[in-house]
Amino acid sequence: MSWLSKRLHWIFFLAVASLFYLPLGLPIKARLPNATFGLLTVGFVYLLGRRWMNERTGLFAGCILATSLVFFGITQHDGFDLAITFWLTLALYAGTGMLTERLPERVRRFSTFLAVAMAGAFLMYGYTASFLPCAVIVLAVLLTRSSSQMSKISWQEIFLCFGLFITPWLAYEAIMDKEMLLRRLLTVRTQEAPSYYFLPTLLAAFLPWSVFLPHVTGQLLKHRATELRRDPVKAMLFLWVCVLALICSLARLPLLPGLLPVLPALALLCGETCDKVFEAPRTPEWLQQSLLCLAGLCSGAVMLLKLPQAAHLWQQPIFLPLYHSGSLVSFCLSAIVMICVGVWGMGQPLAALGGIVISQALLFGTLTTLGLLWR
């Protein structure tokens, strides 16, 4: 794809959306790749949640991922930013299957999925992304002390399949574009932003569901992390988030490729928590506090948009369109505050979760109408 894209002036194709065509000649938007990979990622998150817990957990997890702020926004942009997220989500799906299946035949089937995902991640982002799932699987086995499951995994077959998948492409690049091959094998991408940017950016990217994360983290680490030791899937999801956050912070990898693959794991952890409170007679206290926190964040955003003293904060080019449409955005955020307060007063868990989803739909509809998600 890299060799082909340079010779087709791919950047020009992506810059002008109407130049992106189907083979049949039908005009489509250049946002199709990201939208397609995003839809596939949501589908695998649903499948993982259904296999892990039940169908409702999968639905919650898919809904949470699809309505998170940055994930939905990236699906509206041109490019292939969500491709690496899809491949790593497939690796996460395969890794959890390898840790939970009892039959060696099924473990071998998930091992093939892992090899395919590693190959796709390697071709999109290099060796750093391809070997990350293997490291997380080994750490999850050590945390859960499931050495018997480790004996069922044939690492030789995984790396053999991985090599078979990537060798034709690397040979093709070696013949057509040696410079791209060397850059793929030797270049390590970095960012100029400080390492502490990752965690605040992650919390902002996962809004509004990031208000659930304090409770989710507390439950995972309660009683010396006994839940993590008993549940291999939960252990792998938790380690997936921690390892990615650590690598992206210390190695200072680019924020977007390191940020997006964390969101599916967070969505699954939050979806499992939402499934627990779904049939509760009353809204638990942590969910009520999350609603009030979300209402407070929206109120603060309205104040920043309206106060003249805060006008200098919106002078960055990325924020200027939002500032110029401040009246409509402020009205939308005010409506979200009313929804959050209303469902908080109802005291029903289903109403609370539904209110957050409706709030996100209202926000995304407003931003999309203004053209602020696909500029």
Side-chain angles (χ1 to χ4, degrees), residues 24-342:
L24 297 177
L26 301 175
I28 61 174
K29 297 294 184 181
R31 298 190 294 275
L32 180 64
N34 265 343
T36 303
F37 284 119
L39 183 62
L40 292 173
T41 303
V42 171
F44 273 104
V45 166
Y46 163 74
L47 292 176
L48 201 162
R50 187 182 66 175
R51 196 185 70 232
W52 174 31
M53 289 293 178
N54 52 55
E55 187 172 2
R56 192 165 58 198
T57 300
L59 289 173
F60 274 130
C63 180
I64 289 172
L65 178 63
T67 55
S68 58
L69 185 61
V70 166
F71 187 87
F72 181 85
I74 294 299
T75 60
Q76 306 301 304
H77 278 264
D78 49 19
F80 292 85
D81 295 316
L82 282 176
I84 183 63
T85 306
F86 164 71
W87 289 118
L88 290 180
T89 303
L90 178 60
L92 185 63
Y93 174 81
T96 54
M98 292 164 61
L99 292 178
T100 55
E101 291 294 341
R102 296 180 179 272
L103 297 177
E105 295 80 8
R106 295 185 63 86
V107 174
R108 186 175 302 172
R109 183 187 306 172
F110 282 110
S111 299
T112 305
F113 287 161
L114 178 64
V116 173
M118 290 170 56
F122 176 82
L123 294 176
M124 289 301 304
Y125 202 71
Y127 56 86
T128 305
S130 60
F131 294 107
L132 170 69
C134 299
V136 176
I137 291 173
V138 173
L139 290 175
V141 169
L142 294 176
L143 179 60
T144 56
R145 300 177 182 176
S146 53
S147 57
S148 60
Q149 194 70 21
M150 189 72 171
S151 62
K152 300 177 185 178
I153 302 175
S154 178
W155 293 105
Q156 295 87 350
E157 291 185 9
I158 292 175
F159 289 112
L160 177 62
C161 293
F162 170 72
L164 291 176
F165 287 135
I166 67 172
T167 298
W169 191 270
L170 294 181
Y172 183 74
E173 277 193 346
I175 297 173
M176 294 296 183
D177 196 342
K178 295 181 180 180
E179 180 185 351
M180 176 58 67
L181 177 62
L182 293 175
R183 190 182 303 119
R184 182 191 299 280
L185 296 177
L186 302 178
T187 302
V188 178
R189 306 179 190 183
T190 58
Q191 61 169 337
E192 298 181 357
S195 57
Y196 57 82
Y197 270 36
F198 183 81
L199 185 56
T201 308
L202 175 63
L203 295 176
F206 198 54
L207 282 172
W209 308 103
S210 53
V211 296
F212 290 1
L213 294 182
H215 173 76
V216 172
T217 306
Q219 291 296 312
L220 291 175
L221 301 180
K222 186 172 63 175
H223 303 308
R224 297 183 179 180
T226 53
E227 287 193 21
L228 296 179
R229 294 190 179 96
R230 295 175 180 174
D231 191 340
V233 176
K234 188 174 292 186
M236 185 168 179
L237 294 175
F238 179 75
L239 289 170
W240 185 270
V241 175
C242 294
V243 171
L244 266 173
L246 188 65
I247 291 177
C248 293
S249 299
L250 298 183
R252 299 181 65 182
L253 297 180
L255 280 177
L256 197 59
L259 180 77
L260 290 172
V262 182
L263 300 184
L266 291 178
L268 285 160
L269 292 172
C270 291
E272 187 258 348
T273 303
C274 293
D275 182 58
K276 289 181 179 179
V277 304
F278 180 77
E279 295 181 352
R282 297 290 299 173
T283 304
E285 183 178 357
W286 69 266
L287 186 53
Q288 292 181 345
Q289 293 175 354
S290 300
L291 287 171
L292 294 179
C293 179
L294 184 59
L297 289 174
C298 292
S299 301
V302 172
M303 293 177 62
L304 288 176
L305 283 170
K306 290 299 183 181
L307 288 177
Q309 294 83 352
H312 66 281
L313 299 175
W314 303 94
Q315 298 309 309
Q316 298 293 332
I318 191 174
F319 294 130
L320 278 177
L322 185 65
Y323 182 70
H324 293 326
S325 306
S327 298
L328 185 56
V329 175
S330 299
F331 176 78
C332 174
L333 294 175
S334 301
I336 293 175
V337 172
M338 295 177 61
I339 293 174
C340 292
V341 173

